[in-house]
Every structure is written in structure tokens, then in C-alpha cells.
Amino acid sequence: MTTSQQATLFSSDLSVGGMTCASCVSRVERALLRVPGVQEATVNLATESARVIAAAAPDLDARLRRAVRQAGYEPREAASAGASAPASPWAGFAPVAIGLLLSVPLMAPMLLEPLGVHVMLPAWLQFLLAAPVQFWLGARFYKAGWHALRAGTGNMDLLVALGTSAAFGLSLWLWWRAPADAMPHLYFEAAAVVITLVMLGKWLESRAKRQVTSAIRALQALRPELAHVIDAKSGKESDVPVAELLAGDRLSVRPGERVPADGMVLEGRSSVDESMLTGEPLPVAKAAGEALTGGSVNGEGRLLMEVRAVGAESVLSRIIRLVEDAQAARAPIQRMVDQVAAVFVPVVLAIAALTFGAWLLMGAGTEAALIHAVAVLVIACPCALGLATPVAVMAGTGVAARRGILIKDARALELAHRVDTVAFDKTGTLTLGKPTLTQLLPLHGADARTLLAAAASLQSGSAHPLARAVLDAAQVQGVSHAAARELHSVDGRGMRGRLEEGAGAGEWALASLRWCEELGVAVDAQSLAPLQAQGATVSALLRFDGEGAARAQALLAFADEPKPGAAQAVARLRARGLRVVMISGDNRRAAQAMAARVGIAAEDVRAEVLPGDKAAAVQALRADGHVVAMVGDGANDAPALAAADVGIAMAHGTDVAMEAAGITLMRGDLSLVADAFDVSARTVAKIRQNLFWAFAYNVAGIPLAALGLLSPVVAGAAMAASSVSVMANALLLRHWRPQEQAPSDQARAG
């Protein structure tokens, strides 16, 4: 695909009604892929949604809808995974209740027989009770099954329709052939009960789906409906719908209210509860100049804020979008299920036909042979196969989001538990990312204030953390400086520019030790060694002469502190048997000193790595056969995050890093890295358990039904139970909790 073609592709979401099993998913995907311009189609049974990647076209949406409808399903407006969930837990139960009322009398003779009560309803009454269930409540199975046949495929509905129609038809035949005074054994109850049980199973599934998508509904509920807007001229407050807010609006946020939009505090002090967004249990103090996130809860103080982001650009909207994307995505393990689903129904139909023929050949009679074939059709419905993976992915990503871990795609969720090596960026990830200038050491007797002014002039145009440290030091010491001219940054090496005034006039550079070496500038080793031994990051202030030769004028030592809990987080990862690596642009001695403070072995330090070479360092680890997770926060970490098997970005970092990563941590707590691996392992375990039970029901059930050991009623109950058990097993993930931190870690985190 060319670059121009990629540029015209876009993503489109569509809700699809009427899907019942894995075969339906495959059928809808094939229908969508046949639409001209569609490059990729992913259908999720649990969310009843489709995501299509296609070339832009004015009539594409209409074509997608028509393709879904022609495949026998109902195209609907795309909705958020939990937005349209009915409020009542009994929503949709009415058809099931009617089916139960009509089916229970049919089952009564079978239920009373073990108690010694032998009764039998008249054939005409059985027919009157079973017919509405078969042809009214069961009409959906006929309709969907007919569409599947027309498309040359099969699905759960076709199996149910064929099986129950055979039982109902056989009952009519036996009733018609029986003598007037005889009471034949009929199978109306089998047809009615199977349809009722399948409907009951589907209703239980829908209830479980609403619980699985509760994470998104909880996030959506964080949006308040109204905001108190302050008029710029009159200063009066008026309530405005949040959907009508504009960037630049000034809002009043009263105590106990939710913050309506992303913005910045202009006046007031308060503590804000951000737990639903970040998982951080403790309120965060806010004052003028600090950021507010829409959806968080204001504490005891009134705040005046300015809106900075609204709508789709807000943090809350982005979080919801990331969770929805992950829940709509297909896990790699799902490919195996798709391959099975493609041939499952035809194979089941063949087995049912063989069962019927084999029983006939053994002399069992048409009645017994047909009932055994019906049992095969009923128990083999592939509902559980289609639900096994997506419901576990939805539950896992949902519970992770509540704990401050945003998993962007299902591949990262499935792969994270296999990671054996975790590579950390140092500055801003393992450390606070707020270095301070601890020492400026003149090398040739020059005035320290003059040298600091020169360094600050060079750094005045940079946003690098070390530049901020130099500027802060100049401000604290009252050293004035003018911005250097002809400034330019040398990636991973430093800044170079020209000063125009005073004793410092000329060309200067603030350089890393690597750049000094490349320039052939000698740095006094005797002065350098003590600074590096303390774990400081050291830069040299260089001055160029008229011929372009440079000489070191001063050494600047910077110190950065490890994040609270960094050592405990590394210890947790190592306790899981993981290798922990640190990648840093610092010189080796400084990098190893910091690594020692957080518990990373010296041999696992990759020092003096340029920003552009971080990805190569990650690829080298992968080339050694390791499954690598990269944890970073800066824009220069994005290539390394993309190069890793699993990229993990810190949400306080840049958007570029978050886009490149498969997992985003919503707060700077490094213990979330181990939690992400844990929730991945739990989710993958649930997927495997679900697939095992989905296959086990069929592997065990089909032979039992073919051998005549299961009646159609029992087969229907087992089929419904398979789907419900898969959903219930996935829902257990909602009770996942991160491992408890050590007391010392908790104290530091607090």
C-alpha cells in the first residue's frame, strides 16, 4: 500500500444486530470485506459491533449498511459499548417469560414422573402450547437461519431452527399417524423447551454483556451535564450544557462538583479526586496554574478555571476511546476461533446426518434416529466459541482502566504476560524528571556567575529538563542573561550558540561528554570523576576560539531523584522473574549509580544511548530472543516504544509516546507496570479457560448426543449453559485487584 493510499484510509464503526455465534461474526466480516475500498473488517460478537478500515468514499457508509443487511443482519448506528445498555436488569425478559409459561406445562409430565405421578397432556394441548413458541418466539431463528442458507453458510440459528423443526415436525407426523384412541409419545416439549432455553441463555448473555461494559459506562457517567460559565464582561454565572463549552471559557467549580472539562486553575485552592481517571486513591492538591481533568471531583474549595480542551480532545474522551478501541479489537488468539467457526456448522450438519443414518442402519427406527440427530444439532451451537475471547478482553481492559492502566489494543493485552525483559527509560520514567543543577565547577578560574549566565543563555530556547535546571539555577541566584543567537540543538548532544555581549561574547556550547569526545575536547578527569561517582549527569560548558577549536570552561553536575516506589516496582518485576534493563543517555558511571539506587544490575544498564538509538537497543534485546516491554514517557521514546513487543507509556508524558505505546499508565506509579503484566496474565488465562470450555462442551457433547445419551432438552440446556458459563467466567476478571504494595512503598506513595 502506498503512502497516498494510507493517507486516505479511515476507520468507521457500525453496530450489527442479530448476531448469535462465531459463524455470524465470520459471515458479517466476509460481507464487509467484499465492499469496494474496505481493507480490513473486525467484528466483535460481545459488543455487537464492526470496525472497518476503508478508503474514503462518499457512499461508503450506505454500502457497509447494505452489505450487513444483505448478509441477514441489522445495521444500526454505532454506539458506545455501554451507551445503549438498558437500565433495567430485566429488560428483554418478556419473550423468555412467555416461553417459560408455555414450556413448563409441556415439561410437567417429565418432571413429575420421578415422583411417581404419571400424567400426559392431550396432543392437541401440547400442540397449542408448543406452536407459539416454535413459530412466534422462534421466528428469529427461522429468519436468521434462512439468511445464512441464502448466503451459503450456517450459524447457530440454522442449527436451532433445523433441530426444533425436526422435533416439531416429527411430533405432528406421529400425532397424525396414531390411532384415534392412542396416546403417542410426542416431542413438542423438546422443540419448545430448546427454543426457550436458547432464548434464556441469550438473555443471560445480554445481562452479562452489560456488566462487562460497565467500565465504559462508568467513565461516561463522569461527564456532568451542566457547567457554571462566568461571563467575561459582567462576571455573572450561568449554567450551560457541557456539550456547548468552548476553549477559553471561564468556569466556576463548586465544592463536591465534577470538573466539566479539561482546563487550568485560575483562582482558588482545593483537592481533587482523580481516582476514576488515574486509579490514584488519594486526592490531588490543586492551585492556580495547575491542570484540571474533566470528570474529576472537586473537594472542599471553590475553583475558577479556564477551559483548555473540550469534546473529543479531552482526556476523558481519549480514555473512553482507547478502552473502546481495545474492546473492539481482535486478539491474535481469536484467529484460531475464526478458522474453526468457518467450518463448524457444515461439519455439525454432516455429523447430524451421519448420526441419523447410523441409527437407521442399526435398526433404531426413524423416530429415535431423528431425535438423536436433533440432539446433535442443538448441543453443537457455537455461541460460546464466539464469546470466549471478546468478553474476556472486554472484562480485562475494563478492570484495568478502572485501576489506571489503559490497554490500547488486544495484541498488547495478550502479549504482555509473555514479557521476560522490561526496559526503562531513565529520565522522567524511573526518575522524577526534574533534575537540579547541583554544582557548577569552573575549570580555569573564570567567574562562576559569568559561566552560569553563558549556560543559561544557551539554554534559553530549550525545553529539555536539564535546560530547565540551568534556567532555574540562574533565576535563584539572580543571574541575568540574554538569549544566545544562532542557537541550534544537536540531538542527544547539547546546544550551541553565540553570545553578543560582555566578557562572554563569542561562540559557546553546553555539551554532553559524548559530544566533547567527538569534538576532541579534553575534560579534566580529576574534576570529572567525583561528580560521576555521586551519580550526577555531567555536561561541559565549551567556548570556541576564532579558529573553531573548543575548550572546556566549566563542568555542570545535575542530579535527579528516583521516583517514590521505583525501587519497589523494580523489585516486584524481578520477583516475577523478569529482567530489568535501564536505557539512558547519561555517561555509564552516572547511569550505573542511578541504576544501583533502584535495584537494577550494572550489567543491565545501557548508557550513553542517543535518543535515536533507543529503538536499536530495544531491537538488540529482542534479537537475543527476549520478549521486551519498553517503558518511557518522552517523544524521543516513541521509536523505542514502537520497536518493543509491548510499549508502555506514562500518561504524564507526550501524546507521541502514548500513541506509539500499546499500554498507557494514567499516573506515574511504576507499580502499575507489574499490574499491567498481572492483568494481562489473568485475562489470557480467562481466554484459554473459555476456549477450553467452549471446545470441551462440543467435543464431549456431540459424541454423547450422537450416541443417544443426551435428549434434545438436555442438549439445549447444555448449549445455553456453555454460553452463560463463558460469560460468567470472564466476569470474574472484574474482581481483579492489584497486588498490595509493601508498607514502605505505600508510605512513599502517600
Side-chain angles (χ1 to χ4, degrees):
M1 189 183 301
T2 66
T3 303
S4 60
Q5 285 175 318
Q6 289 178 348
T8 60
L9 294 181
F10 75 104
S11 173
S12 178
D13 292 325
L14 185 70
S15 288
V16 181
M19 295 189 298
T20 54
C21 66
S23 297
C24 296
V25 170
S26 299
R27 192 160 140 231
V28 174
E29 285 182 349
R30 288 196 299 270
L32 291 171
L33 287 170
R34 285 195 292 267
V35 175
V38 173
Q39 303 291 327
E40 182 182 336
T42 304
V43 178
N44 188 314
L45 177 62
T47 58
E48 297 183 333
S49 64
R51 172 155 294 178
V52 177
I53 307 296
D59 60 349
L60 178 65
D61 189 59
R63 289 180 180 274
L64 295 176
R65 291 172 174 275
R66 179 174 294 183
V68 170
R69 193 174 300 282
Q70 289 178 344
Y73 301 92
E74 181 186 353
R76 302 169 179 164
E77 287 293 333
S80 202
S84 59
S88 170
W90 294 98
F93 187 71
V96 180
I98 294 171
L100 290 171
L101 288 173
L102 295 172
S103 300
V104 167
L106 292 169
M107 287 290 296
M110 185 185 301
L111 298 173
L112 293 174
E113 189 170 344
L115 302 177
V117 179
H118 300 282
V119 295
M120 184 64 69
L121 296 178
W124 64 268
L125 183 54
Q126 292 186 50
F127 171 79
L128 290 178
L129 290 170
V133 178
Q134 184 71 40
F135 301 110
W136 176 41
L137 299 178
R140 51 169 285 192
F141 299 109
Y142 286 103
K143 180 181 178 182
W146 172 245
H147 284 297
L149 276 178
R150 286 181 58 190
T153 61
N155 59 7
M156 181 206 83
D157 302 288
L158 178 62
L159 296 180
V160 172
L162 286 175
T164 57
S165 295
F168 195 91
L170 177 62
S171 300
L172 289 175
W173 171 258
L174 294 174
W175 181 21
W176 180 62
R177 290 288 304 274
D181 57 345
M183 186 61 207
H185 182 75
L186 306 177
Y187 298 94
F188 286 124
E189 90 285 348
V193 171
V194 164
I195 287 178
T196 300
L197 287 175
V198 173
M199 291 172 59
L200 176 61
K202 286 304 188 184
W203 178 76
L204 291 172
E205 280 177 30
S206 68
R207 281 195 61 175
K209 287 175 187 175
R210 291 196 292 274
Q211 295 179 56
V212 171
T213 58
S214 62
I216 288 181
R217 291 201 304 280
L219 288 171
Q220 290 167 336
L222 297 181
R223 293 170 169 149
E225 295 182 1
L226 297 174
H228 311 305
V229 178
I230 300 176
D231 184 83
K233 295 181 179 179
S234 65
K236 293 182 179 180
E237 287 188 16
S238 60
D239 289 347
V240 173
V242 169
E244 298 177 13
L245 289 179
L246 301 173
D249 283 346
R250 293 194 170 197
L251 311 179
S252 169
V253 186
R254 299 164 186 167
E257 291 184 337
R258 290 198 180 276
V259 177
D262 294 357
M264 186 182 73
V265 178
L266 298 177
E267 295 178 14
R269 301 179 67 88
S270 185
S271 58
V272 176
D273 180 1
E274 299 177 338
S275 59
M276 277 301 295
L277 297 170
T278 66
E280 173 59 59
L282 298 176
V284 180
K286 299 289 182 180
E290 297 194 70
L292 288 173
T293 304
S296 54
V297 180
N298 186 23
E300 70 286 350
R302 178 181 179 272
L303 296 175
L304 177 64
M305 66 173 287
E306 180 180 283
V307 175
R308 294 293 177 88
V310 294
E313 298 306 314
S314 68
V315 171
L316 181 57
S317 293
R318 290 169 59 199
I319 291 173
I320 292 174
R321 190 161 62 244
L322 282 172
V323 176
E324 288 181 332
D325 287 348
Q327 295 189 344
R330 167 175 293 145
I333 199 172
Q334 183 70 21
R335 284 193 290 267
M336 175 189 66
V337 178
D338 296 339
Q339 293 168 355
V340 172
V343 298
F344 189 84
V345 173
V347 168
V348 169
L349 291 172
I351 293 174
L354 288 173
T355 299
F356 180 74
W359 280 99
L360 282 180
L361 289 174
M362 290 188 297
T366 304
E367 179 181 341
L370 187 58
I371 288 301
H372 298 326
V374 168
V376 170
L377 291 173
V378 171
I379 200 170
C381 295
C383 312
L385 277 179
L387 292 168
T389 300
V391 294
V393 169
M394 291 172 68
T397 54
V399 72
R402 290 190 176 206
R403 300 290 168 179
I405 304 167
L406 290 186
I407 300 173
K408 192 169 74 174
D409 60 68
R411 179 185 175 277
L413 177 66
E414 184 177 326
L415 193 58
H417 79 287
R418 292 173 46 201
V419 165
D420 58 36
T421 302
V422 184
F424 283 95
D425 169 58
K426 181 179 80 72
T427 304
T429 303
L430 281 173
T431 68
L432 293 172
K434 297 179 180 178
T436 56
L437 179 62
T438 57
Q439 191 171 354
L440 189 153
L441 181 64
L443 296 178
H444 304 292
D447 177 59
R449 290 178 65 85
T450 301
L451 294 172
L452 180 57
S457 297
L458 290 170
Q459 298 290 52
S460 59
S462 173
H464 193 279
L466 297 186
R468 187 72 261 163
V470 171
L471 295 172
D472 288 346
Q475 183 179 5
V476 169
Q477 296 183 32
V479 174
S480 60
H481 60 277
R485 301 176 65 85
E486 302 175 21
L487 270 174
H488 65 276
S489 172
V490 181
D491 189 31
R493 291 168 173 82
M495 294 287 293
R496 184 169 179 168
R498 180 175 296 278
L499 305 185
E500 299 290 350
E501 301 175 356
E507 190 172 5
W508 293 73
L510 190 59
S512 68
L513 298 181
R514 172 193 283 266
W515 196 13
C516 290
E517 185 178 342
E518 293 173 353
L519 293 172
V521 177
V523 177
D524 181 22
Q526 189 173 357
S527 302
L528 181 63
L531 300 177
Q532 291 181 331
Q534 298 168 10
T537 298
V538 181
S539 296
L541 183 63
L542 310 181
R543 188 171 187 176
F544 295 84
D545 61 23
E547 298 178 358
R551 185 184 187 192
Q553 301 295 313
L555 296 179
L556 286 78
F558 300 90
D560 194 4
E561 288 298 307
K563 282 184 177 177
Q568 288 81 359
V570 170
R572 276 188 65 189
L573 293 171
R574 298 185 68 172
R576 293 177 66 94
L578 303 180
R579 179 186 180 190
V580 181
V581 174
M582 186 176 80
I583 300 177
S584 173
D586 277 350
N587 66 81
R588 180 163 298 279
R589 291 185 65 178
Q592 288 181 341
M594 178 59 70
R597 294 182 66 182
V598 297
I600 296 176
E603 62 269 20
D604 288 327
V605 174
R606 305 291 184 269
E608 301 175 13
V609 178
L610 293 174
D613 295 335
K614 288 183 180 180
V618 170
Q619 289 168 344
L621 291 169
R622 295 184 65 194
D624 291 338
H626 296 292
V627 180
V628 181
M630 173 68 192
V631 187
D633 70 329
N636 58 10
D637 296 326
L641 292 170
D645 294 285
V646 178
I648 302 177
M650 314 295 284
H652 64 264
T654 65
D655 290 346
V656 176
M658 291 173 65
E659 287 298 322
I663 298 175
T664 298
L665 309 181
M666 291 305 296
R667 62 183 191 273
D669 184 355
L670 291 175
S671 68
L672 292 180
V673 176
D675 291 340
F677 296 151
D678 188 44
V679 78
S680 167
R682 302 289 183 90
T683 302
V684 171
K686 289 299 179 189
I687 291 174
R688 290 173 175 167
Q689 291 167 13
N690 284 350
L691 288 175
F692 169 80
W693 286 114
F695 281 112
Y697 270 106
N698 289 303
V699 170
I702 291 175
L704 290 175
L707 292 172
L709 300 178
L710 291 178
S711 71
V713 171
V714 175
M719 187 273 290
S722 68
S723 299
V724 175
S725 64
V726 161
M727 297 291 294
N729 189 43
L731 283 173
L732 293 176
L733 279 171
R734 298 176 69 217
H735 302 294
W736 172 81
R737 295 289 184 274
Q739 295 181 6
E740 290 293 329
Q741 293 177 313
S744 60
D745 193 10
Q746 290 177 338
R748 289 185 178 92

